[in-house]
């Protein structure tokens, strides 16, 4: 695969550049018979749409999803689902500096190094708009999961050093503040911090947390396609993510085995764990507990402060990124992380259907 | 793929259980003409072999690699390289508790949940011995990379809370202490800490760091197969790894853009970065700087302390894991992480050969 | 992969139904720097467009290709190329019989068996319009190949029992007759035969031949991804193709080794073959000779003659397919076969770039 | 994938050269809980073993299969099944001519062109012994299919121009004659013809037919991974196969739609076809009828008659292949074709488990 297709059975192929005519995704391998409308997808896209708060770019985009195939009579047909979003804000402009200079923290230089050619308009393929396709696919995957009782939820755990401790989580708050934090008070503090970043012509990093409830035990493939390994790749493939951890994560490196191990017990006739340091996986397979994943997101690299750089001719120069940019990537990336997690789990659920003869007999012999 | 194959072009398929007759790997897609001997592979295997220090299991295994195919006259032929290692320490024993109980922190329960059957002898497929195949393949990948001027090095950054600060790194020390730490003094402290863990019938986590030097810019595929995303999956697929980060990693979440961005400059006619907060990737492609990756490893779950658990019949019970176990996984996992990184880079180097027409013309028209 | 993606490095993902809003393709892995315009794609699409002769359906479709991504300044950028073709002829109509009955020779029944739901309008995903995406991708692959001196050409070898013998081939004729036969006289006879088929409310099968000139030796992967095996799949995946052969093909089954073997000789310092019974491959790798491939295409299953069948409720009934249908599939499938062959060769050319260390050194060390 | 792995879910990775220490296969993705012994595999291997009749090479090989992993307590565990066969007949010999010359009809030249290096001993990777791995995997796949009521059978339809007409098939005869023909009388004639070939220092081609009974309808993936396309690749990837057809195959090219279409009817409440011109697939999906596939196999290229060729230094010379070689490939390839068909069907059965939500609900909600 050439890099723009994700998944083995529930496959997602995204395409499109920031300032091309459109951006889109082809979702192949979605089982037939899943109820699906454009509204289902739109709800997800609206969560990453620009212009929602004073911390997101003012670019005016409706980001209206159109389903072009794979759905008939309100249900998926098993054939590829093509979703397209027209780019509207393509007014011609002067790309001068972006065209000729390598922006620090961006992929301008590495794209030139790889391909020798680069669509510089708005970042081209490396623009955050690339995630539109992921989110549309995530909407489909999430619907599929919900019908099986699996729920994926992502939110902003931290912005800069303002981090909501787990003990103060209030999941209902997530959609009550523009930063998607599970605590409105912390969201207020984070907003104030972001205001100061903007004033300083600067930006902030943060942490996304994603939880998955209702996972049956045994999902994931041992060895290379472990559930946590796949989730790590899924989330790390989102631009600006620089780290990922599951359960106790990096904290586990400082712990002892007696503290980190989760003891087993029985609850209502089912094997359960007394704690969840593992974050819901053992040996790369889901263990029936909640999956808990965190992703570290670097600060927005586009800042108006002047930075030193070089141009495409190898001359040293400096650049300050004009125009309005989000001072933080995290809030709009929340739904992207949720989407990538949902796609990954859907893919592994399908892979798991061949785990034992009993399943094959259930489908082919009954 | 069913989970035991890794890579798209440089593919690695591992097989084997801890107490089966043998364990091995098939490496397909290695370019022809690479000098390769069994000694090259043995050197890598010896780094993960048990019995090397008082902190590694006393299981007596020669772990002798045999190349069964793909090499002729001392060079790879382009056909699959099959490497096999016979398991020697298979004396019959009483697996009683392990057979019937789910060990906390292990995959016994999840394997039963997935497959309904499990080779319980020594952990079967979930044993650390599964990594033998990875390391043999890593040895091959490393040789390939070296011929292109690319060097991968991994070491123990931290054990428990004893962490070597970057300013005190001495790379020559790595092979001078049994913990593979880049500072012998810290290694001494870590050894003392591990002794105390053993006394407490407990174990410790730690952190592996992996660096890659000599990477050309532009390696990795944008969007889903980003270099950092692939590395994250590679490393997270190693049992016991609970987190992975690149460059500033989780620290970046607390930083501002002006501090996290690496400014560009020119050095000897080449585009360079003044700093390396990014850890060597921009937009998922290598940027020509050193790749810096860290992995958090959980404590050894096998501890002799008594733990509560349930048996396969759903009855609550308790277990204490007898026999000698490493009180820390990190030192023996160092070469595994290095191997997975090398395999990943080799695979992406091959994928990158189709990046531009210029390359095709170089090979097919000259 | 879920079946709508083809290729490993040069990947083609098609989507779309006959009577949905559009049909399209995403081409990922095309090297950067290839000159490409919408006209290049249109030329290929025009060769399969309906309404070109009295033997092709009168459905009025402009089949106008629009490139939505992956091309900038007239060149490919290395990112996915999305091509879309709007369906125009979607007037509402009565699908009565097609909706409720299983047409003999069509996939109505098998789609229902597989998915339990089916877009019956115009055959939905099983319509010949699905090949639009293949042909658009074939146009791109062909351009890539041409720049490396490789030329793919397909034509109609036979319709019914009117078959052009190789000794009477005139390649210039191919584009001079609506049946794409390499001999205008035979094309005349075939046309007369097709007229008689139409009068009899019947249809005809035929044979497509595809040749590839300029192939370097050594392309293809031994064992499972042999060049001929990949071409066989490529061509057999075109609806209505029931057989495929390379070189002497089925005739070879009746031959002796002394007659079938091609002796080697030297020509201008290069290893050559004195004959080409093998059709250009040895051991699954190209041998430097012309690739010669033939595909057997069944007669158009849609005939106006009344046929017995059953409806979706399991009741026996009969059906006669009204409306105008091509009495033969071959002429419009010629460009599809050519496209699939071109895509396959492009993909294997990319795969071959990792065949030897010498190639890697050429790209990464020079 | 680098060419030595086949299948997407039920994956088969073969390795090994003719005169290396061993040859083998790794089967990954086999569902857990399938009863499997070494004897099951041995039975299949014995069908392709040399030395069974006067028409097969006298090379003395026990071809004894050893299962090294993936089976525990007589059942598959869901982890990779590694099967190894030691090469016994490796006495050192003079490879002189084979080493330096390109044998007509063999892959010596193309391997050199691709890799620049070649294990010339006994043909190395291009030897027929490569199929040992395929057959071992086919044994596993066949067992899986049998438990679901699916039966794959292959036999020799024709040798040279001696072809058994369908009307004279007697399936019981297949194992009663060394040529695996479904009619002992024809087998006698074919044996006489082969004797004459040997006398003439020549060899013969032939045709293998493979039938699959008990296929549920709807198996295969539309578009690129059609059941017939996958079977075509599977069979065409066997060395020496030059053509493949399904159902009426090439005959369909000469037919009319009214003759080629299979009308539907009801039988015991199930949708059936009155005839089976299609060979069991419609639109690339199984239609519930018997799958009927034929493969054309070229004559053994190794003949003792003198042939012109060139050596590796580009000098024209001549060669006569000494030593005993089978005068026909077909009988020993029968089990290989059967194996490849079984593997392909097993793989597509697994892929089909995600076809509809109903299946997911059956497994994850019941």
């Amino acid at each position: 695969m050439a890099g723009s297709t994700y998944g083995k059975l529930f496959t997602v192929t995204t395409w499109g550049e920031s300032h091309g005519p459109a951006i889109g995704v082809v979702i192949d391998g979605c089982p037939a018979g899943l109820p699906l409308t454009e509204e289902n997808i739109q709800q997800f896209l609206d969560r990453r749409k620009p212009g929602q708060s004073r911390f997101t770019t003012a670019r005016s985009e409706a980001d209206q999803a159109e389903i072009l195939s794979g759905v008939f009579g309100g249900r998926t047909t098993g054939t590829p689902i093509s979703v397209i979003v027209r780019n509207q804000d393509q007014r011609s402009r002067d790309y001068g500096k972006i065209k000729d200079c390598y922006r620090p923290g961006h992929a301008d230089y590495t794209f030139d190094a790889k391909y020798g050619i680069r669509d510089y308009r708005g970042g081209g393929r490396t623009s955050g708009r690339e995630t539109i396709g992921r989110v549309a696919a995530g909407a489909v995957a999430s619907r599929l999961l919900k019908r099986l009782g699996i729920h994926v939820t992502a939110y902003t755990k931290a912005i800069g050093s303002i981090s909501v401790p787990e003990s103060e989580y209030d999941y209902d708050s997530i959609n009550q503040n523009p930063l998607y934090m599970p605590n409105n008070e912390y969201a207020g503090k984070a907003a104030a911090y972001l205001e100061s970043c903007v004033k300083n012509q600067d930006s902030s990093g943060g942490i996304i947390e994603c939880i998955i409830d209702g996972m049956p035990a045994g999902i994931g493939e041992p060895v290379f396609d472990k559930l946590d390994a796949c989730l790590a790749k899924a989330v790390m493939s989102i631009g600006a993510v620089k780290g990922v951890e599951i359960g106790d994560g990096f904290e586990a490196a400082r712990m002892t085995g007696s503290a980190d191990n989760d003891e087993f017990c029985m609850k209502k006739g089912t094997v359960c764990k007394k704690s969840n340091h593992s974050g819901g996986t053992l040996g790369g397979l889901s263990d029936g507990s909640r999956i808990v994943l965190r992703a570290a997101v670097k600060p927005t690299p586009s800042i108006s402060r002047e930075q030193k750089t070089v141009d495409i001719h190898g001359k040293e120069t400096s650049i300050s990124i004009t125009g309005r940019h989000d001072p933080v990537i995290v809030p709009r990336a929340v739904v992207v992380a949720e989407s990538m997690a949902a796609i990954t789990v859907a893919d592994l659920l399908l892979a798991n259907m061949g785990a034992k003869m009993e399943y094959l007999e259930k489908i082919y012999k009954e």
Side-chain angles (χ1 to χ4, degrees), chain A:
Chain A
M1 286 307 115
S4 291
T5 296
Y6 180 78
K8 293 183 175 174
L9 294 170
F10 187 96
T11 65
V12 173
T13 303
T14 70
W15 56 268
E17 277 83 38
S18 173
H19 285 61
I23 241 167
V25 64
V26 181
I27 304 148
D28 197 20
C30 181
L34 180 71
L36 185 71
T37 65
E38 284 175 351
E39 285 66 45
N40 300 142
I41 292 171
Q42 197 59 48
Q43 279 173 20
F44 262 63
L45 286 182
D46 286 350
R47 289 169 59 195
R48 72 158 295 292
K49 209 167 59 172
Q52 295 183 94
S53 81
R54 65 192 187 284
F55 302 123
T56 58
T57 136
R59 175 170 171 167
S60 152
E61 290 282 0
D63 283 357
Q64 195 70 39
E66 192 187 353
I67 296 178
L68 296 180
S69 68
V71 177
F72 185 65
R75 287 182 177 262
T76 57
T77 59
T79 63
I81 303 166
S82 176
V83 181
I84 193 173
V85 168
R86 291 271 161 192
N87 289 325
Q88 299 184 314
D89 190 8
Q90 302 174 55
R91 44 195 159 155
S92 75
R93 61 181 93 173
D94 179 16
Y95 291 101
K97 267 289 187 183
I98 301 187
K99 180 181 168 191
D100 297 324
C101 277
Y102 297 135
R103 290 169 296 164
H106 279 281
D108 306 333
Y109 166 62
T110 53
F111 260 62
D112 259 8
K114 186 179 190 75
Y115 297 117
I117 179 175
R118 160 177 61 100
D119 180 350
Y120 47 78
R121 301 166 306 163
R125 182 71 176 147
T126 71
S127 158
R129 287 188 70 71
E130 173 264 318
T131 60
I132 286 177
R134 302 180 185 227
V135 172
V140 178
S142 287
R143 280 187 73 74
L144 184 159
L145 297 183
K146 258 180 210 161
R147 290 185 75 92
L148 304 174
I150 301 168
H151 300 268
V152 186
T153 313
Y155 43 86
T156 302
K157 182 177 179 62
I159 286 180
S161 44
I162 294 127
S163 175
V164 191
E166 207 182 321
S167 57
E168 300 187 38
Y169 280 5
D170 166 24
Y171 294 118
D172 292 337
S173 304
I174 295 172
N175 292 307
Q176 292 165 4
N177 63 76
L179 299 176
Y180 297 108
M181 284 184 116
N183 181 307
N184 292 328
E185 209 177 310
Y186 280 82
K189 286 183 214 167
Y193 171 64
L194 288 174
E195 294 283 8
S196 75
C197 288
V198 172
K199 254 182 229 153
N200 291 328
Q201 302 185 301
D202 217 332
S203 61
S204 172
I207 291 176
I208 298 169
E209 193 164 80
C210 179
I211 56 178
I212 311 175
D213 288 312
M215 281 290 283
I219 305 305
E221 299 297 315
V223 189
F224 298 114
D225 289 346
K226 289 187 164 82
L227 172 57
D228 32 10
C230 291
L231 285 171
K233 180 177 178 179
V235 167
M236 201 83 158
S237 76
I238 304 170
V241 172
K242 301 300 290 181
V244 61
E245 59 179 13
I246 192 155
D248 286 349
F250 273 84
E251 190 51 37
R254 279 179 290 269
M255 291 168 74
T256 60
S258 61
D260 183 58
N261 278 349
D262 301 310
E263 292 186 317
F264 287 108
C265 60
M266 294 302 295
K267 220 182 244 170
K268 297 184 195 167
T270 314
V271 176
C272 284
K273 287 156 51 199
K274 295 188 174 185
S275 51
N276 190 16
H277 295 285
S278 77
T281 71
L282 280 171
L285 311 182
S286 59
D287 64 15
S289 309
R290 168 182 285 186
I291 307 288
V292 184
L293 187 86
R294 273 175 302 281
V297 182
K298 75 172 184 179
T300 316
S302 292
I303 53 176
S304 45
R305 198 179 285 203
E306 191 175 280
Q307 299 173 88
K308 299 245 193 293
T309 189
V310 303
D311 67 18
I312 57 171
H313 310 293
K315 237 194 84 191
E316 301 200 333
T317 176
S318 68
I319 191 170
S320 58
I321 318 288
T322 53
R324 166 129 195 170
H325 291 92
D326 299 9
V328 67
I329 291 167
V330 167
R332 290 180 62 201
V334 158
V335 68
V336 184
E338 188 177 309
S339 293
M340 289 306 297
I343 294 166
T344 303
V345 171
D347 194 37
L348 289 172
L349 276 176
L350 288 171
N352 182 64
M353 293 183 76
K356 41 186 170 185
M357 284 306 295
E358 192 192 316
Y359 292 161
L360 278 83
E361 285 162 7
K362 226 177 199 171
I363 283 173
Y364 293 117
K365 291 186 75 175
E366 275 177 16

